Amino acid sequence: MSVIRPASVIRSVVAGFGAALPREQVDNDALVGRGVDTSDEWIRQRTGIGARHVAGADETTVTLATAAARQAMERAGVGPDEVDLIVLGTTTPDDTFPASATRVQAALGVHGGFAFDVQAVCSGFVYALAMADNCLRLGQARTALVIGAETFTRLLDWEDRTTCVLFGDGAGALVLRAEPGAGTAADRGVLTTHLHSDGRHRDALYVDGGPSTTGTVGHVRMKGQEVFRHAVNRLAEVVDEALAATGLSASDIDWLVPHQANRRIIDAMGRKLGLPAEKVVVTVDRHANTSAASIPLALAEAAGDGRIRPGQLVLIEAMGGGFTWGSSLIRW
Ligand code: UT7
């Protein structure tokens, strides 16, 4: 009689996490004080945002990413010569080129392996995680830094109250290490990743500038309600996809760590999954929407304060400009 055993596989296991926020925190009233035609009440009611961090002149995507990565490496006990892959999700690189990931690589003293940026706006961290996971599982690297970092406030038109109150700056990072797994959902590490995009929705969320068109950086423009509607529907689908791929159910999830764009979208996802509010990690109240940085910032906060513990099942999901969207299940 033959015994069917799951094939042994390589898993990308979380070995460390880190975060970095700009020094300056700006609350809603301070925006009103700076002349934005809004109110603390409107912003809180419609988005759940109370404050955001705004990068100063000496703080950039690369400096924030480097600080978050350094913390993650320290926690993992990993030195610069062990890191052989850096994937950075960002929409706000320091330079048009080279990739900000290579500047982070140099700043960390990492001289081997390879580094590149991923551009998927608010889904950037999920995309970066999926790319790093693929590289580790294929044996192209053994120890990866996956970073989401943004200075999104540099893209804001402070005269446009429909967007300027929504975003903030920051960075978060994970160290992933290739380790053998049994090939089951009980393994530690990234269990599954799911990515999507649909370029027909460009006009709903975009920046009105770029090196090949205007030669400027541009400002973010958004049709908020259209994005909101798509977010709720697409995120529900991609979460179902992750559960179906692993044979897990919503009741197995220990933590939902969603992209932090709007408290109403976050609450809708929690309700859809039947998760009590205590199992949903929320930072949007203090960080606002930090695009690709929001999920790793939230992961670092919840793992740092002892909520997320080794062995627990974490669901991440995000949706952003493109549109892009994606999800992943990670056993911490
Ligand atoms: O991370 C990428 C994904 N992004 C998202 O997921 C964002 C998704 N969208 C949203 O979160 C929401 O659509 C917003 C928070 C952007 C907007 O909330 P909303 O409930 O959809 O508001 P609305 O756009 O329908 O605007 C309602 C009213 C309008 O006034 P009128 O036309 O009803 O008189 C706006 O002019 O609120 C007004 N308004 C504001 N009022 C005070 C818009 N922005 C502001 C503001 N302060 N900052």
Side-chain angles (χ1 to χ4, degrees), residues 241-259:
E241 223 179 296
L243 291 171
T246 50
L248 293 164
S249 65
S251 59
D252 295 314
I253 297 167
D254 293 298
W255 297 102
L256 170 62
V257 185
H259 171 50

Side-chain angles (χ1 to χ4, degrees), residues 80 137 157 305:
R137 287 190 296 113
D157 171 1
D305 66 21

Side-chain angles (χ1 to χ4, degrees), residues 229-295:
R229 208 170 45 248
H230 275 272
V232 172
N233 294 328
R234 299 292 88 76
L235 290 173
E237 289 164 11
V238 80
V239 161
D240 283 345
E241 223 179 296
L243 291 171
T246 50
L248 293 164
S249 65
S251 59
D252 295 314
I253 297 167
D254 293 298
W255 297 102
L256 170 62
V257 185
H259 171 50
Q260 309 279 321
N262 188 316
R263 183 69 202 245
R264 290 185 286 144
I265 299 175
I266 294 170
D267 290 346
M269 285 307 300
R271 274 197 305 275
K272 181 204 141 37
L273 291 164
L275 294 176
E278 311 84 71
K279 290 190 167 193
V280 183
V281 178
V282 177
T283 58
V284 71
D285 51 329
R286 288 154 293 127
H287 298 171
N289 181 349
T290 58
S291 183
S294 88
I295 289 175

Side-chain angles (χ1 to χ4, degrees), residues 300-316:
E301 181 172 291
D305 66 21
R307 274 179 287 170
I308 300 178
R309 295 191 307 277
Q312 290 190 321
L313 187 67
V314 179
L315 170 65
I316 66 173

Side-chain angles (χ1 to χ4, degrees), residues 94-108:
D94 278 29
D95 309 306
T96 302
F97 84 81
S100 290
T102 60
R103 296 192 57 178
V104 173
Q105 183 186 29
L108 292 171

Side-chain angles (χ1 to χ4, degrees), residues 11-44:
R11 295 290 194 193
S12 309
V13 176
V14 177
F17 53 88
L21 287 162
R23 282 182 307 275
E24 189 190 16
Q25 196 182 27
V26 178
D27 67 15
N28 296 339
D29 285 329
L31 290 184
V32 176
R34 291 176 189 190
V36 180
D37 178 19
T38 189
S39 65
D40 178 57
E41 192 196 2
W42 189 95
I43 302 172
R44 279 185 197 276

Side-chain angles (χ1 to χ4, degrees), residues 15-19 67-78 145 173-175:
F17 53 88
R70 210 168 257 139
Q71 219 181 67
M73 287 167 65
E74 271 165 29
R75 275 214 175 82
V78 160
L145 268 169
L174 296 183
V175 172

